[in-house]
Amino acid sequence: VAPLEDSEIQTRLQALEGWSLSEGAIEREWKLDDFAAAIAFVDRVGELAERANHHPDILIHGWNKVRLTLSTHSEGGLTESDFALAALIDGLS
Amino acid sequence: VAPLEDSEIQTRLQALEGWSLSEGAIEREWKLDDFAAAIAFVDRVGELAERANHHPDILIHGWNKVRLTLSTHSEGGLTESDFALAALIDGLS
């Protein structure tokens, strides 16, 4: 995987729902029903991440919100892997 | 529960392992073996938090690190509840 060009990043962002660019990463926030639902969501994201061998930063905050941040540290930027995992995660909801 | 005085906070902090004060909250970071271990740790913290009905902010980052941040938002500060949950979480390791 190689870092994507800015124009490619914009195209791929538009194909996703609710993700935005933030400091060289893409992030999205979900509001769940409660803390237990937030943890359960993180478990499902974790399974997808393990299968993809690509690991987002995950913040559970305010007892029912989950923010995921994706980037490819080894490449110093955004790659196919980030957008592929984002699309899989969007398929969960 | 009422906010604790600064002197009480210091005393209680010293009774814990590895927690530090940060912007009106206490936080601690764990380094786990891998991402799956980090998710499993978060699940166990989640169970303790649900039982205590007190919910930390949880950050999983760098694929194997977990940072927990505890404060009592409803009281605008640190309370007994924060230190009680921190002690329970420390009991996990």
Side-chain angles (χ1 to χ4, degrees):
Chain A
V1 290
L4 296 171
E5 302 289 333
D6 283 353
S7 59
E8 285 184 276
I9 290 172
Q10 289 304 332
T11 305
R12 276 154 214 264
L13 256 182
Q14 281 163 25
L16 295 174
E17 289 257 330
W19 293 80
S20 59
L21 207 57
S22 172
E23 296 174 34
I26 52 171
E27 64 178 33
R28 182 176 171 184
E29 182 153 297
W30 285 260
K31 192 170 178 176
L32 288 306
D33 284 344
D34 53 27
F35 183 78
I39 294 277
F41 178 67
V42 165
D43 282 343
R44 296 168 73 202
V45 169
E47 283 167 29
L48 291 178
E50 277 292 83
R51 234 176 289 156
N53 194 27
H54 194 61
H55 304 106
D57 286 354
I58 301 173
L59 175 65
I60 305 168
H61 67 121
W63 70 275
N64 68 343
K65 291 194 280 292
V66 176
R67 185 187 308 156
L68 302 183
T69 307
L70 277 165
S71 72
T72 306
H73 297 280
S74 59
E75 299 296 325
L78 286 161
T79 66
E80 275 297 337
S81 305
D82 300 305
F83 288 95
L85 182 56
L88 285 174
I89 291 168
D90 283 353
L92 288 177
S93 344
Chain B
V1 290
L4 296 170
E5 302 290 333
D6 283 352
S7 60
E8 285 184 275
I9 289 171
Q10 290 302 333
T11 305
R12 276 155 215 262
L13 257 182
Q14 281 163 25
L16 295 174
E17 288 256 332
W19 292 81
S20 60
L21 207 56
S22 173
E23 296 174 35
I26 53 172
E27 63 179 33
R28 182 177 171 185
E29 182 153 298
W30 285 260
K31 193 171 177 175
L32 288 304
D33 284 343
D34 54 26
F35 183 77
I39 294 277
F41 178 68
V42 166
D43 282 342
R44 296 166 73 201
V45 168
E47 282 166 29
L48 290 178
E50 277 292 82
R51 234 177 290 157
N53 194 28
H54 194 59
H55 303 106
D57 286 354
I58 300 172
L59 175 65
I60 304 167
H61 68 121
W63 69 274
N64 68 343
K65 292 194 279 293
V66 175
R67 184 186 307 155
L68 301 183
T69 307
L70 277 165
S71 72
T72 306
H73 297 279
S74 59
E75 299 295 326
L78 286 161
T79 66
E80 276 296 338
S81 305
D82 299 305
F83 288 95
L85 181 55
L88 286 174
I89 291 168
D90 282 352
L92 289 178
S93 346

